[in-house]
Amino acid sequence: MNLNNVFTKETLFISVIDDDAIIRDMLIRILKVMVFDHFELDIETFEDGLQFFESKRLEENGIHFLILDGVMPVMDGIEILQKVKKIKNGRNIYVLMLTARKRETDIERALKLGADDYITKPFSIKELQARIERLIKRMK
């Protein structure tokens, strides 16, 4: 039995897409302290959807977890969500909306388009951590 394979963790590609540098930095700090049995986290941040898609990040083979801001100047979170869910391997892409859009219709639309969770700003850091952990644990 090869013990190296027993301890190999799958890479989880986490992309934080938010135009607010403070939110991006805070999310990186939260994510870097999280430890998962099955995943090694590969975390990158992007200022907007255009920068994210131009990076070809989704071409990385594996499971992707996106944390999307709803309101951004170039391409908002809903536009990113719609584009991501049209991709063939969209089933390996999980999305958490983290946005100031609080209207019931905005939340309903994002969930119907395939968002896995929706958190409104301002948010509790402890609740955000718990929701991220819950989503990631469900992926394996």
Side-chain angles (χ1 to χ4, degrees):
M1 180 176 181
N2 184 349
L3 290 178
N4 289 335
N5 291 339
V6 174
F7 298 106
T8 301
K9 291 185 177 186
E10 187 175 353
T11 300
L12 175 61
F13 298 96
I14 299 180
S15 299
V16 176
I17 307 164
D18 196 309
D19 59 330
D20 185 332
I22 294 168
I23 298 284
R24 288 194 311 270
D25 290 344
M26 182 186 58
L27 284 166
I28 285 176
R29 282 197 307 275
I30 290 169
L31 292 163
K32 282 190 174 180
V33 298
M34 292 184 165
V35 177
F36 297 95
D37 293 338
H38 302 292
F39 291 115
E40 195 68 48
L41 304 184
D42 178 321
I43 306 163
E44 283 194 32
T45 63
F46 303 91
E47 291 180 27
D48 59 57
L50 190 60
Q51 185 186 68
F52 169 70
F53 286 112
E54 286 176 349
S55 76
K56 307 279 189 216
R57 175 95 165 144
L58 288 177
E59 291 178 12
E60 295 281 356
N61 193 19
I63 300 174
H64 291 264
F65 179 40
L66 312 182
I67 300 176
L68 301 179
D69 182 14
V71 183
M72 291 180 283
V74 178
M75 183 185 287
D76 73 16
I78 292 293
E79 291 173 295
I80 297 168
L81 177 62
Q82 287 175 308
K83 193 169 179 177
V84 158
K85 290 301 177 175
K86 288 179 183 168
I87 295 171
K88 283 184 184 175
N89 69 341
R91 66 186 179 283
N92 286 330
I93 303 171
Y94 297 84
V95 177
L96 169 68
M97 298 295 298
L98 183 62
T99 175
R101 289 186 174 157
K102 298 175 194 280
R103 290 190 342 233
E104 192 175 312
T105 54
D106 292 325
I107 297 168
E108 177 189 17
R109 183 171 181 221
L111 293 172
K112 281 185 174 178
L113 286 171
D116 296 285
D117 205 348
Y118 196 104
I119 300 175
T120 58
K121 295 177 183 176
F123 53 86
S124 150
I125 290 177
K126 289 192 182 292
E127 179 185 354
L128 177 62
Q129 280 179 299
R131 286 176 181 255
I132 290 171
E133 285 175 2
R134 179 180 58 94
L135 279 171
I136 292 175
K137 284 178 182 172
R138 285 182 171 178
M139 292 176 195
K140 193 60 187 167

